[in-house]
Amino acid sequence: MKIHWRTWINRIKKSNVCLAAGINLIFLLSILLFCDIKYETSDDFLMASIMSGAFGGEPNPHMIFINIIWGYILLPFYYLNSHISWYLISQILLCFASCTIFSYMLLEKSDKKPAVMLIVLLLTFFADDVYVLVQFTKTAVLAVMAGGVVFIWALAENKTKRIKILSALLCLLGTMIRFNTIFLAGGFLTILIISETLIFFKDKNNNWKKRLLGFFLPGILLIGAAAGIRQIDQAIYNSDEEYKYFREYNAARAAIVDASDYGYEAYQEELEKIGISENDYLLLRSWNFADNKVFSLDVMKKAAEIISDYKENAEISKEAILEGMQERQYFNYPGCIAFVILFVLTAALENKYFLAGLPAAGMGVLYLVYFFVIERIVYRTEFGIFLCMFLCLCFFWEKNTEGRKRHNVEITRICAIITLVCVIMQSILYIPDRSYLDVTEESRKDYIEETFFESWNYDARKYRKVVNKNVPANGLIEEIESNKQNFYFLDFQTTMQTLYYEWNPFYTLPEEYFQNSLYFASIMTNYPECIKTLSRYHAEQPLKALANDNVYLVDSDTRTLQWKITYLQEHYYPDARAELYKEIDGYQIWKVYTE
C-alpha cells in the first residue's frame, strides 16, 4: 500500500525528532553559510594539527587534552581524506547532536510552542559560542550536560532504550573531549537527581524502591564507564615513556603558568634554593621555559609546588571576589542574559516550578566563586556554568495543565513574541563585520590581535569578525616556507594567540608542516614529535640553540627578547646578543650571536 507524500509530510510535522533536528539544522546551516567559523583558543589549533600529522609524518591520536580513544575514532577519517579537519567537523557534529537531543526532550516534555521557544532561546544565546568560536571545553560541557539531562529524564520517565543509550553515549563522548567537565555539569545534574528522587518518594502508587534502583544503577554504570575510559587513556600514555614524560612536564607547566602571578619576591627564597633566578622566573611566567637542563621536570615540579603552596596560603577576600565578578560584567554575557530571561519566563508560565531557578542560580554562583578562589576564571568556563544553569532550569518545564489552559492564548503570544525577537537577534549575527576588506598584509597582525589575543575574555566582536575571507598573504609564513634550510622558533606572546588565524580551520595543515618551525615553549614543550624535529637541528634545548647557525627567533616583544638574552648570558654565553634579521608584517625575526 502506497502512502501519499502529503501523509509523509504530516508525519514529519508531527514528529518531535524531525522538528528538533530541523530547527537545529536551520541554525547550523545559517551559521555555516553566513558566519566565519574559527577556533577560540590556540589549543584547538595545535590539537587539530597534531591529529593531521602536521608535527609528524602521519596522523597522531595523542591530542594532549583529549582522550586518545577519541583520536583513534578520528584516525580512519584522516586516512580517508587528509585535507579535511575532522577534528573541527567532529566537534561541530557533537554540538549539533547535543542540541538536537536536548531539543527533542523539550518537545516531548513540554508543550510544542513553549518548547520551540526554549529551543530558539538555547540556540540564539549559546549556539554561537559552540559553532562560531569552536573550543573543546565548551563542546565537552555541552555534550556532558545535555546528555546528562536527557539521560536523567529518560530514566525517570522510563523512555525507550534508544534515547537512554544515545544520551549516555553523548555524555561519554563529552568526557572524552574533556573529562573534567563532568565535575562542572555534576553539580547541576545533582539538582535534577534530587528533584526526581523526591518525586519518587511522593508517588505512593508505584514501587519507589524498584524505580530508584532503575534510576540510580544506570547512572552509576555511566559514571563508571566514563572513569574507565579515562583510565584507559592514562594507561596508554603511561605505557610510552616519552608521552608519559610529556604529560608529567605538561602538568607541572600548567600549575605554574595557569596560576596567578604574585611576583618573584613572593617565592624568592624557595625558588633560589632550586636554582631559579628572577630572570628565570620571568621566562617561566611568560611561556619561555624552553630548556630541559635548567627547567628540568624535577625543577618544574618543585616550582609548581612552591607556587601552589603560596597560593593556598594567600587569602582571597570576599571583596576581591565581588570586585572580580563586577569586572567580568556577567550581565553582558549572552549565557547570563539567557538564564535571566528563562528565570522570568519560568516564574510567569511555570508557576509550579518557578523556584527551580533558585538552586540552579545558586549552584552557578558557587561555581563562579570556586573558580575565582582557585584563580581559573576564563570565559570558556563561565560559558559552561551559564549553559548548565540554563539547561538545568529547562528541565522543569512540563506540559500544559488544566489550570493553565485558560491562559493558553497568552502563553502562545508570549512564546511567539520571544521566538520572533530571538530570530531577529540571531539574524544580526549573520551580518559580517566588513572591516576585513580594508585589512592589508602589514595590518593583519594588529587586526587579529586587537580582538582575539585575550582568548580568556568575552568579547562580542569575535563572533562577527572575519578572518578567513579575503586573507592577504602572510610574509612570515612565506619566509618560513621558502627557507627550509633555516629553523624558526615562534615566541608564545608574539605568535601563539594570533598566527593560527592564518589557516582556515576546516582544512588541515599537511603532514610534517612544522618541519622547520615550532612554537617556542608552549603546551607542546617536550611533545615527542617536537623533540624529534628539534633533534634534526641539534636544538633539543631551544634557549641554548638560539645561538646555533641557521636558527632564528620570531619575537616582537622587547621584554621577552631581553629576558631570553639575559638567560643566555646567565647560563651559557656571557656575551650573548641579538640582532634584528628581518621585520615582516609586524613580526620581528632575530638572530642571536654569542660574541
Side-chain angles (χ1 to χ4, degrees):
M1 180 179 178
K2 293 184 178 180
I3 300 177
H4 197 272
W5 63 270
R6 289 181 178 176
T7 305
W8 280 109
I9 292 176
N10 289 330
R11 286 185 179 181
I12 292 173
K13 286 182 179 179
K14 294 178 181 179
S15 169
N16 286 334
V17 173
C18 293
L19 183 57
I23 296 174
N24 278 274
L25 191 59
I26 290 172
F27 268 79
L28 176 57
L29 290 177
S30 299
I31 288 174
L32 290 172
L33 286 172
F34 297 106
C35 298
D36 192 51
I37 294 175
K38 49 239 171 214
Y39 293 125
E40 186 175 31
T41 66
S42 58
D43 292 349
D44 287 276
F45 166 74
L46 290 175
M47 289 192 288
S49 298
I50 290 171
M51 195 66 231
S52 72
F55 288 97
E58 59 183 0
N60 187 347
H62 295 81
M63 288 185 287
I64 305 178
F65 301 119
I66 294 178
N67 194 297
I68 196 171
I69 295 176
W70 183 261
Y72 282 122
I73 293 172
L74 295 181
L75 267 181
F77 297 97
Y78 279 91
Y79 287 121
L80 179 67
N81 189 325
S82 61
H83 301 295
I84 297 175
S85 178
W86 298 104
Y87 175 92
L88 176 68
I89 290 174
S90 65
Q91 289 210 44
I92 291 175
L93 291 178
L94 186 59
C95 291
F96 175 78
S98 302
C99 292
T100 300
I101 196 170
F102 188 82
S103 300
Y104 169 76
M105 183 202 75
L106 291 176
L107 290 166
E108 288 283 310
K109 202 171 187 294
S110 184
D111 291 312
K112 185 162 291 186
K113 292 171 184 176
V116 170
M117 177 193 67
L118 294 177
I119 295 168
V120 173
L121 266 175
L122 169 65
L123 296 175
T124 299
F125 288 94
F126 294 99
D128 303 339
D129 259 298
V130 295
Y131 290 140
V132 179
L133 292 176
V134 178
Q135 204 281 326
F136 72 104
T137 300
K138 294 192 292 188
T139 300
V141 74
L142 173 61
V144 171
M145 186 64 188
V149 173
V150 175
F151 188 66
I152 290 171
W153 166 72
L155 292 175
E157 300 295 329
N158 198 23
K159 296 296 178 179
T160 62
K161 289 183 179 179
R162 181 181 299 175
I163 193 68
K164 293 176 184 176
I165 293 172
L166 287 175
S167 57
L169 180 61
L170 202 59
C171 276
L172 289 177
L173 293 177
T175 61
M176 287 185 197
I177 300 295
R178 185 147 204 175
F179 181 81
N180 286 346
T181 54
I182 198 172
F183 301 115
L184 177 56
F188 297 95
L189 295 176
T190 300
I191 294 174
L192 306 185
I193 292 171
I194 293 173
S195 172
E196 290 301 316
T197 303
L198 293 176
I199 292 174
F200 289 153
F201 281 121
K202 289 181 180 179
D203 191 353
K204 298 180 181 179
N205 297 324
N206 293 325
N207 186 339
W208 59 268
K209 292 183 179 179
K210 184 178 180 180
R211 292 286 306 278
L212 280 177
L213 181 64
F215 183 68
F216 280 102
L217 183 58
I220 294 171
L221 293 175
L222 178 59
I223 294 172
I229 290 173
R230 191 190 191 195
Q231 290 298 317
I232 292 173
D233 173 72
Q234 292 178 339
I236 293 174
Y237 268 90
N238 291 335
S239 65
D240 188 309
E241 287 300 320
E242 290 182 331
Y243 281 106
K244 180 182 179 181
Y245 178 85
F246 163 73
R247 273 211 164 174
E248 290 179 358
Y249 198 95
N250 200 40
R253 181 273 310 163
I256 295 171
V257 298
D258 291 345
S260 293
D261 186 1
Y262 293 95
Y264 181 69
E265 295 78 11
Y267 334 95
Q268 182 172 356
E269 185 178 347
E270 295 299 320
L271 289 178
E272 284 180 344
K273 291 179 181 178
I274 60 173
I276 299 295
S277 68
E278 183 173 3
N279 191 75
D280 295 340
Y281 176 77
L282 293 173
L283 287 178
L284 273 175
R285 298 304 310 219
S286 60
W287 291 80
N288 284 293
F289 42 84
D291 188 334
N292 283 336
K293 182 179 178 181
V294 176
F295 300 117
S296 65
L297 176 59
D298 182 57
V299 168
M300 294 291 281
K301 284 182 176 180
K302 289 178 179 177
E305 186 177 349
I306 291 168
I307 292 172
S308 177
D309 290 343
Y310 184 89
K311 185 174 68 173
E312 288 181 3
N313 295 325
E315 293 184 3
I316 301 178
S317 64
K318 296 178 182 177
E319 291 76 14
I321 293 175
L322 290 174
E323 184 178 344
M325 288 186 171
Q326 290 176 348
E327 290 177 355
R328 301 296 286 180
Q329 297 181 345
Y330 287 132
F331 286 105
N332 291 334
Y333 285 24
C336 183
I337 295 171
F339 179 77
V340 171
I341 293 173
L342 182 60
F343 188 91
V344 173
L345 287 172
T346 305
L349 305 180
E350 286 284 337
N351 296 339
K352 183 179 177 182
Y353 292 110
F354 79 97
L355 291 176
L358 296 179
M363 185 64 68
V365 171
L366 286 176
Y367 271 115
L368 287 173
V369 171
Y370 169 75
F371 284 110
F372 266 104
V373 170
I374 67 171
E375 300 171 336
R376 287 295 294 140
I377 280 290
V378 290
Y379 176 66
R380 48 193 175 273
T381 302
E382 295 164 331
F383 166 84
I385 293 171
F386 289 118
L387 173 67
C388 290
M389 291 166 61
F390 185 90
L391 299 186
C392 179
L393 186 51
C394 281
F395 181 84
F396 292 95
W397 281 62
E398 295 182 340
K399 290 188 180 294
N400 223 338
T401 61
E402 291 296 326
R404 283 171 48 201
K405 285 184 178 179
R406 293 173 299 174
H407 308 292
N408 194 43
V409 175
E410 289 81 358
I411 292 174
T412 300
R413 288 175 179 172
I414 292 172
C415 294
I417 292 172
I418 291 176
T419 302
L420 180 61
V421 170
C422 287
V423 170
I424 294 173
M425 287 176 56
Q426 185 69 11
S427 64
I428 296 174
L429 177 74
Y430 303 148
I431 304 174
D433 178 352
R434 298 181 66 81
S435 61
Y436 74 92
L437 294 172
D438 301 322
V439 177
T440 63
E441 185 175 335
E442 294 77 17
S443 63
R444 181 166 167 80
K445 180 177 181 292
D446 292 334
Y447 170 80
I448 294 174
E449 203 168 58
E450 180 187 0
T451 304
F452 296 101
F453 186 85
E454 295 184 356
S455 61
W456 54 90
N457 287 333
Y458 169 74
D459 189 335
R461 297 176 299 171
K462 294 179 181 180
Y463 304 96
R464 293 180 58 240
K465 208 79 166 180
V466 174
V467 296
N468 290 313
K469 296 178 182 177
N470 193 36
V471 179
N474 183 282
L476 175 61
I477 293 176
E478 290 180 355
E479 167 76 15
I480 294 172
E481 291 181 347
S482 59
N483 291 279
K484 295 297 184 181
Q485 76 280 6
N486 296 336
F487 189 86
Y488 299 85
F489 280 116
L490 309 176
D491 176 71
F492 183 90
Q493 300 292 341
T494 299
T495 62
M496 183 58 77
Q497 298 292 79
T498 57
L499 193 60
Y500 68 93
Y501 287 106
E502 298 298 334
W503 295 288
N504 191 317
F506 280 97
Y507 301 102
T508 61
L509 293 177
E511 293 178 1
E512 292 188 301
Y513 180 82
F514 291 103
Q515 59 181 292
N516 72 319
S517 65
L518 284 174
Y519 290 101
F520 189 80
S522 65
I523 62 171
M524 301 292 292
T525 300
N526 286 315
Y527 192 77
E529 288 185 337
C530 293
I531 292 176
K532 292 176 183 177
T533 299
L534 292 173
S535 65
R536 291 199 296 268
Y537 291 87
H538 306 289
E540 294 87 345
Q541 310 298 344
L543 275 161
K544 186 179 181 181
L546 291 176
N548 291 1
D549 293 337
N550 298 327
V551 173
Y552 295 86
L553 171 67
V554 180
D555 191 344
S556 301
D557 189 326
T558 55
R559 295 179 310 154
T560 57
L561 176 64
Q562 184 55 53
W563 294 339
K564 293 182 184 74
I565 297 303
T566 301
Y567 177 91
L568 292 176
Q569 291 170 350
E570 289 182 352
H571 293 280
Y572 297 110
Y573 310 113
D575 298 322
R577 59 185 175 84
E579 288 187 6
L580 184 63
Y581 171 68
K582 282 183 182 179
E583 185 167 359
I584 307 175
D585 301 339
Y587 294 98
Q588 293 180 338
I589 305 176
W590 298 85
K591 184 72 192 80
V592 174
Y593 299 96
T594 59
E595 57 183 30

